Amino acid sequence: MAAISHLTTLLASMTPVLRPGVFVFCELPDLDGQLISTLSSVVVVQEDEAVTVVIPKDVATAHGLSFGPAMRMISLTVHSGLEAVGLTAAFAAALAERGVSANVVAGSRHDHIFVPERQAEDAMAALTALQARSMG
């Protein structure tokens, strides 16, 4: 299926899915491919100060890594175009209305939203309602 860029179509088709597991953001001092390959990383971001990995909480604990809040991962199953305008703003606003923080990562096909574990159901309700409103 081709990537979608039209905002109304994106919102109506986004179908959020709450992924199993609890994830955490961890910082590593450098890009150690051997270590990263053992961490079951779902995201790796190299920044100037450190390398951030998003990994299952139990893996972080087993490796003795420091981490922040427990997060859940929501994936939008629509194939969103990389140049689509407004999708992130629309779902971020819907989540903000419910007081849910969102840490967004986009792949070449889908957007993934990390939300606090305790607010995962609220986030899903907000995103599902946004999708329903967009369907008319």
Side-chain angles (χ1 to χ4, degrees), residues 46-116:
Q46 185 170 356
E47 299 176 297
D48 291 340
E49 301 84 2
V51 175
T52 300
V53 292
V54 181
I55 61 177
K57 182 179 178 183
D58 59 341
V59 172
T61 300
H63 281 80
L65 298 173
S66 298
F67 51 85
M71 309 294 272
R72 293 293 306 274
M73 179 179 173
I74 299 172
S75 296
L76 304 182
T77 61
V78 65
H79 183 179
S80 54
L82 291 173
E83 294 183 336
V85 175
L87 177 62
T88 304
F91 68 68
L95 293 171
E97 285 175 12
R98 293 194 185 215
V100 178
S101 68
N103 294 279
V104 182
V105 177
S108 62
R109 293 181 175 259
H110 306 287
D111 292 85
H112 309 279
I113 310 161
F114 291 88
V115 299

Side-chain angles (χ1 to χ4, degrees), residues 113-128:
I113 310 161
F114 291 88
V115 299
E117 179 181 22
R118 70 185 182 288
Q119 294 179 299
E121 295 303 326
D122 287 341
M124 284 296 294
L127 295 171
T128 301

